[in-house]
């Protein structure tokens, strides 16, 4: 599904990603853990197509296509979704308007018919309910005045509506209370299927109790330092990142 | 009549020579103007003529015209609008009403009233809605009592020019205690002539007696692409406890000049709301003056504009808190693309007497290109001590993080920009109290975006 090879990226001349190799097959869930500032969000932004990164080496192929050549909206239409670590507030644009524009834009790019207002409302109501969100949150401006946890739930709602083939969840668990964590995890698990893959970025092994990964990777200093099964997360929880040369006290 | 010898020293900030072509025309047309037999009107017109002769057009040395250069007008010789022989045909006239609905409407083409396109259906008994030329014969006292009282010809040179030529325009009189439920639409169509640039000077009069209510929407549109100059003046009298909601949308074509001066006087507990949406014209200037002339009056003077190409849009407002306990609110938002230029000059004066004044002014612009420009000059003059006044101005660009967030969800760049621009302007459009007007204006904003 996605094949990342020797990916190097710099920001303002500073190298952040220093040779990432990662292959994710259909149906797999991979988790990335790693210390603050190790490049996890940078990797997710580079994959989603944000401006400001220079790719100095390497390649990413997504369903056989050169992902790095595509515009962000083309990546979304091809099935890539990034749940932002810091969802962006957009005053003046209602959440429903945003969701509907997004869904129909993607359907249009895929050559599928757009949904009318009724069809859309039915779909979004159903997803909202499943995530324990209120209709009131749909009417509000995108993420404006949402609590930290509500923003993360809103990201999950977008994912549930857009039904991506490959989702990157960048710390979607941070800021969620215990009940919300379960609800969001259920939402994510509901999307799991043999055709869908996920890349879950988290600092806490607890999320991985709910969303059980097939593979866990440790990202430090811009590189994947170690990969293993789900037991690697437990080990990291116990020992931290000291063995990768990271000074925990710093 | 004042002498116009060229040796007289020119007052600073004016170019009297620019008055010449207009004055020659005035001598030719004055005897044929409506109401030419009324002595008070002749007197008023002569005052306008004399004042304009002495001043001419303002130059950029004039403090109030620093950012808007009218030199382009100098290069053209405008002729008064000719009587259009064959009636100009319209498939559709702009309206905020639902499809097929009718209501009170006056239509003016190149400043002249078009009775066959106008209607007074739906007006309550006692309400007068007619054109000025007719009003001078049918309601001379009403006109004599109000015309030139707020926008005096000695005031400003363009008001003086309008006063010299005043011939036609809308007149509305709402008697005491009457509420007009139907929105009154005033449609101004600029057509002009292939032969030469055409000027017209529409003159409006709105009189809302005590405890009356009216909603007015002005549409200014262009047909064809001939060069036109519309130099309009509207005076609005808001009686005690009366309310007037006065909306305007200007969508003239790219060869038109649109100059407009609206002056309102608000009595105690009266409400005057003004909102102007500017989309069209090569050069436009909207001056809005609102005097809060009685206690507990309230005025909202707001607007939105969207300009691109080489357009120039000037918004110059003046809120005069003359009496205590009044509130004023101004919210202007504009989007400027390409080499277009916007000017915002907002003055609020709080007179010594006007304690417990509450004034708010906000002016925000969004620059969509590196060559777009805005000049903003807020001015607060406060002579009372117990007042609450605030103003703010911001200039920004589209937010990259917001754009990326939208695009990451599949929305293409153009649509994402459109959503953000619409969101930016919606804050100003929300100042419009009437939903039907707001929706119509919202759709003009969307149309503007779709043109790209
Ligand atoms: N625009 C920028 N200019 C300079 N440095 C940047 C910029 N953006 C990111 N960085 C740096 O890149 C490094 C990686 O940041 P990134 O956000 O990818 O870390 P992360 O692994 O997601 O951390 P966290 O766990 O705290 O979310 C950090 O040292 C950060 O300061
Ligand atoms: Mg991060």
């Amino acid at each position: 599904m996605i094949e990342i090879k020797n990916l190097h990226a710099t920001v303002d001349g500073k190298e952040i990603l220093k040779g990432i190799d990662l292959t994710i097959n259909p149906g797999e869930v991979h988790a990335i853990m790693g210390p603050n500032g190790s490049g996890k969000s940078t990797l997710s932004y580079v994959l989603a197509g944000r401006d400001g990164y220079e790719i100095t080496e390497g390649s990413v192929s997504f369903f056989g296509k050169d992902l790095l050549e595509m515009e962000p909206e083309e990546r979304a239409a091809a099935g890539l979704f990034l749940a932002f670590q810091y969802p962006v507030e957009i005053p003046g644009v209602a959440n429903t308007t945003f969701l509907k524009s997004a869904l129909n834009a993607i359907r249009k790019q895929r050559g599928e018919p757009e949904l009318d207002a009724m069809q859309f409302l039915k779909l979004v109501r159903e997803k909202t309910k499943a995530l324990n969100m209120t209709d009131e949150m749909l009417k509000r401006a995108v993420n404006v005045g949402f609590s930290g946890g509500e923003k993360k739930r809103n990201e999950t709602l977008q994912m549930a509506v857009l039904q991506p083939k490959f989702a990157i969840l960048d710390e979607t668990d941070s800021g969620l209370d215990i009940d919300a964590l379960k609800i969001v995890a259920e939402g994510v698990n509901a999307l799991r299927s043999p055709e869908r893959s996920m890349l879950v970025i988290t600092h806490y092994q607890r999320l991985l109790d709910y969303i059980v990964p097939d593979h866990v990777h440790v990202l430090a200093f811009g590189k994947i330092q170690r990969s293993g099964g789900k037991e690697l997360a437990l080990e990291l929880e116990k020992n931290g990142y000291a063995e990768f040369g990271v000074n925990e006290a710093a | 009549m004042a002498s116009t010898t060229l040796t007289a020293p020119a007052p600073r900030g004016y170019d009297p020579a620019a008055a010449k072509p207009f004055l020659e025309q005035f001598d030719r047309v004055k005897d044929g103007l409506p109401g030419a037999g009324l002595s008070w009107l002749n007197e008023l017109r002569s005052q306008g003529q004399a004042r304009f002769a002495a001043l001419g057009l303002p130059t950029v040395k004039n403090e109030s015209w620093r950012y808007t250069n009218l030199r382009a007008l100098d290069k053209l010789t405008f002729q008064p609008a000719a009587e259009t022989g064959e009636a100009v045909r319209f498939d559709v006239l702009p309206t905020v009403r639902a499809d097929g609905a009718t209501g009170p409407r006056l239509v003016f083409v190149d400043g002249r009233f078009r009775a066959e396109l106008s209607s007074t259906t739906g007006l309550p008994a006692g309400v007068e809605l007619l054109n000025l030329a007719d009003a001078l014969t049918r309601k001379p006292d009403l006109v004599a009592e109000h015309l030139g009282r707020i926008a005096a010809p000695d005031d400003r040179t363009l008001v003086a020019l309008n006063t010299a030529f005043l011939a036609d325009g809308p007149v509305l009189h709402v008697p005491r205690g009457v509420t007009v439920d139907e929105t009154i639409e005033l449609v101004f169509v600029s057509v002009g002539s292939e032969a030469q640039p055409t000027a017209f000077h529409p003159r409006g009069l709105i009189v809302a007696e005590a405890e009356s209510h009216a909603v007015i929407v002005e549409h200014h549109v262009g047909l064809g692409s001939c060069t036109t100059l519309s130099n309009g003046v509207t005076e609005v009298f808001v009686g005690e406890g009366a309310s007037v909601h006065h909306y305007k949308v200007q969508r003239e074509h790219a060869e038109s000049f649109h100059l407009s001066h609206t002056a309102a006087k608000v009595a105690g507990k009266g409400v005057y709301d003004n909102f102007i949406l500017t989309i069209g014209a090569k050069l436009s200037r909207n001056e809005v003056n609102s005097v809060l002339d009685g206690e507990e009056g309230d005025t909202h003077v707001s607007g939105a504009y969207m300009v691109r190409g080489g357009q120039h849009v000037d918004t110059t407002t003046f809120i005069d808190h003359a009496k205590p306990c009044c509130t004023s609110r101004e919210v202007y938002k504009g989007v400027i693309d390409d080499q277009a230029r916007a000017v915002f000059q907002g003055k609020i004066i709080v007179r010594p007497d006007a304690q417990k004044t509450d004034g708010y002014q906000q002016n925000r612009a969004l620059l969509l290109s590196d060559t777009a420009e805005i000049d903003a000059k807020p001015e607060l003059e406060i002579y009372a001590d117990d007042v609450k006044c605030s103003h703010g101005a911001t200039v920004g660009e589209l937010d990259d993080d917001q754009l990326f967030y939208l695009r990451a969800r599949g929305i293409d760049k153009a649509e994402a920009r459109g959503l953000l621009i619409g969101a930016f302007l919606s804050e100003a459009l929300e100042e419009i109290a009437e939903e039907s007007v707001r929706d119509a204006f919202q759709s003009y904003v969307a149309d503007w975006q779709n043109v790209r």
Side-chain angles (χ1 to χ4, degrees):
Chain A
M1 170 166 289
I2 189 162
E3 205 177 347
I4 305 170
K5 278 191 192 153
N6 191 31
L7 186 66
H8 290 252
T10 61
V11 179
D12 294 337
K14 181 177 155 201
E15 188 167 52
I16 311 285
L17 301 183
K18 302 174 180 167
I20 305 263
D21 288 287
L22 182 64
T23 299
I24 300 174
N25 296 308
E28 290 179 354
V29 171
H30 290 233
I32 288 188
M33 303 182 81
N36 294 134
S38 57
K40 304 181 297 294
S41 293
T42 303
L43 174 63
S44 50
Y45 282 142
V46 166
L47 295 179
R50 192 185 194 210
D51 277 345
Y53 302 94
E54 198 194 335
I55 313 299
T56 49
E57 245 187 287
S59 65
V60 181
S61 104
F62 188 54
F63 291 103
K65 281 200 222 148
D66 184 353
L67 185 76
L68 302 176
E69 282 298 306
M70 296 158 80
E71 296 292 338
E73 56 269 29
E74 293 169 344
R75 300 180 195 203
L80 186 140
F81 180 92
L82 166 63
F84 285 60
Q85 182 176 2
Y86 303 109
V88 178
E89 298 186 4
I90 309 185
V93 177
N95 219 3
T96 27
T97 310
F98 166 58
L99 274 171
K100 186 161 178 246
S101 303
L103 180 62
N104 280 336
I106 285 177
R107 293 179 70 97
K108 204 164 121 191
Q109 287 187 70
R110 289 182 185 156
E112 294 164 10
E114 295 185 23
L115 295 190
D116 65 27
M118 289 303 286
Q119 294 167 315
F120 172 74
L121 215 64
K122 189 167 169 274
L123 171 79
V124 81
R125 284 246 165 85
E126 183 187 301
K127 305 289 183 192
T128 311
K129 224 171 115 196
L131 286 164
N132 237 0
M133 286 171 66
T134 57
D135 280 2
E136 191 258 344
M137 278 167 77
L138 288 173
K139 289 188 196 123
R140 273 158 63 179
V142 178
N143 293 325
V144 177
F146 285 29
S147 75
E150 285 168 346
K151 284 182 181 167
K152 295 307 174 80
R153 255 191 263 193
N154 203 24
E155 294 293 291
T156 318
L157 171 68
Q158 291 164 36
M159 181 169 70
V161 169
L162 300 179
Q163 302 264 314
K165 298 187 182 108
F166 173 56
I168 305 165
L169 308 182
D170 191 355
E171 297 198 27
T172 301
D173 54 335
S174 65
L176 290 178
D177 64 41
I178 298 156
D179 296 331
L181 182 69
K182 279 187 201 158
I183 292 163
V184 165
E186 273 168 29
V188 172
N189 285 330
L191 281 174
R192 280 184 84 158
S193 82
E195 296 84 48
R196 243 181 226 127
S197 320
M198 289 181 198
L199 183 61
V200 181
I201 296 169
T202 183
H203 286 295
Y204 306 105
Q205 117 77 24
R206 194 179 60 209
L207 176 71
L208 305 179
D209 286 341
Y210 297 108
I211 307 172
V212 184
D214 303 298
H215 301 276
V216 175
H217 310 277
V218 179
L219 180 65
F221 303 114
K223 264 183 121 145
I224 291 184
Q225 307 286 349
R226 207 175 132 191
S227 299
K230 59 176 187 275
E231 63 293 339
L232 179 55
L234 289 166
E235 197 187 313
L236 292 169
E237 179 105 329
K238 213 161 84 205
N239 303 332
Y241 298 108
E243 80 164 277
F244 306 102
V246 176
N247 182 355
E248 285 287 290
Chain B
M1 209 181 282
S3 87
T4 56
T5 52
L6 293 171
T7 49
R12 189 181 154 78
Y14 293 94
D15 173 16
K20 222 174 134 223
F22 290 100
L23 296 171
E24 286 167 7
Q25 289 159 25
F26 181 69
D27 288 338
R28 261 190 291 131
V29 302
K30 67 177 179 203
D31 294 333
L33 292 173
L38 299 166
S39 62
W40 65 265
L41 184 59
N42 287 335
E43 179 61 24
L44 186 67
R45 282 190 179 124
S46 314
Q47 281 172 25
Q49 191 270 355
R51 193 67 190 149
F52 183 66
L55 296 177
L57 291 175
T59 70
V60 289
K61 295 220 174 70
N62 187 312
E63 191 52 33
S64 164
W65 289 87
R66 248 174 80 188
Y67 306 110
T68 296
N69 196 333
L70 292 184
R71 273 239 304 279
L73 295 183
D74 257 0
K75 300 200 181 83
L76 302 161
T77 304
F78 289 93
Q79 295 297 326
E83 193 87 59
T84 23
E86 83 263 46
V88 183
R89 301 221 158 268
F90 301 98
D91 297 332
V92 216
L93 283 167
T95 179
V96 300
R97 286 182 225 288
D99 284 351
T102 55
R105 170 173 87 183
L106 299 185
V107 179
F108 298 85
V109 177
D110 287 349
R112 283 171 194 271
F113 182 57
R114 291 286 294 270
E116 80 282 11
L117 298 170
S118 303
S119 153
T120 53
T121 342
L123 289 176
V127 174
E128 298 284 353
L129 177 67
L130 74 174
N131 64 307
L132 180 63
D134 280 358
L136 287 168
T137 39
R138 284 172 46 202
K139 296 269 153 194
D141 295 346
L142 172 73
V143 181
E145 189 187 334
H146 296 96
L147 198 71
R149 299 300 157 126
I150 322 180
D154 58 352
D155 216 347
R156 288 171 169 79
T157 179
L158 291 167
V159 173
L161 174 61
N162 174 285
T163 306
F165 281 91
L166 71 84
D168 216 347
V171 174
L172 170 67
H173 180 249
V174 188
R176 188 184 185 90
V178 173
T179 293
V180 184
D181 290 323
E182 285 284 350
T183 297
I184 295 164
E185 293 195 284
L186 306 174
V187 182
F188 300 83
V189 188
S190 298
V191 181
S193 143
E194 297 282 350
Q196 78 267 313
T198 305
F200 32 90
H201 309 270
R203 183 71 176 227
L205 186 59
I206 296 167
V207 181
E209 303 284 1
E211 306 295 336
S212 68
H213 303 276
V215 179
I216 299 142
V217 177
E218 290 184 26
H219 298 266
H220 295 257
V221 293
L223 198 70
S225 58
C226 300
T227 302
T228 53
L229 164 63
S230 169
N231 174 43
V233 172
T234 303
E235 291 170 282
V236 187
F237 294 80
V238 182
E240 289 226 353
S243 81
V244 172
H245 290 185
H246 188 185
Y247 306 115
K248 165 174 167 179
V249 50
Q250 188 267 102
R251 296 183 292 147
E252 295 208 39
H253 60 65
E255 292 307 318
S256 67
F257 296 88
H258 183 94
L259 305 173
S260 134
H261 182 95
T262 303
K265 191 166 165 181
V266 186
K269 295 199 167 72
V271 176
Y272 178 65
D273 278 10
N274 177 292
F275 187 100
I276 299 178
L277 175 64
T278 295
I279 295 172
K282 177 197 285 227
L283 183 150
S284 64
R285 164 141 158 156
N286 283 297
E287 284 186 30
V288 183
N289 290 7
S290 187
V291 184
L292 292 158
D293 199 39
E295 292 190 18
E296 294 179 48
D298 181 24
T299 191
H300 290 200
V301 175
S302 297
Y305 56 85
M306 289 155 284
V307 282
R308 56 165 66 116
Q311 282 181 286
H312 180 106
V313 55
D314 176 328
T315 304
T316 297
T317 64
F318 177 48
I319 311 278
D320 187 346
H321 280 269
K323 292 283 151 61
C325 307
C326 293
T327 51
S328 67
R329 178 177 167 85
E330 281 184 85
V331 177
Y332 278 91
K333 298 191 95 175
V335 177
I336 314 161
D337 203 351
D338 304 327
Q339 302 80 252
R341 195 167 163 198
V343 177
F344 176 82
Q345 308 185 104
K347 184 167 175 175
I348 302 176
I349 184 161
V350 181
R351 308 267 176 198
D353 198 24
Q355 302 296 355
K356 304 252 185 291
T357 284
D358 186 346
Y360 175 83
Q361 180 192 87
Q362 191 199 331
N363 151 49
R364 294 180 63 194
L366 192 59
L367 302 180
L368 297 183
S369 86
D370 293 342
T371 44
E373 201 183 316
I374 172 145
D375 294 292
K377 191 175 76 178
E379 260 184 288
L380 255 56
E381 267 181 46
I382 302 177
Y383 300 104
D385 42 34
D386 184 11
V387 299
K388 206 171 91 192
C389 258
S390 66
H391 73 95
T394 61
V395 181
E397 292 163 23
L398 287 176
D399 184 298
D400 285 339
D401 286 337
Q402 293 176 347
L403 266 179
F404 174 62
Y405 191 67
L406 294 170
R407 295 180 70 192
R409 296 296 177 253
I411 300 168
D412 71 39
K413 200 171 171 178
E415 191 183 345
R417 282 169 66 97
L419 273 173
L420 295 179
I421 292 168
F424 174 80
L425 291 173
S426 69
E427 201 191 326
L429 291 164
E430 272 157 26
E431 296 291 315
I432 298 172
E434 274 72 20
E435 198 182 346
S436 61
V437 181
R438 194 167 57 237
D439 289 351
F441 281 25
Q442 200 77 257
S443 74
Y444 300 140
V445 172
D447 290 348
W448 180 82
Q449 298 202 341
N450 291 336
V451 167
R452 254 293 123 99

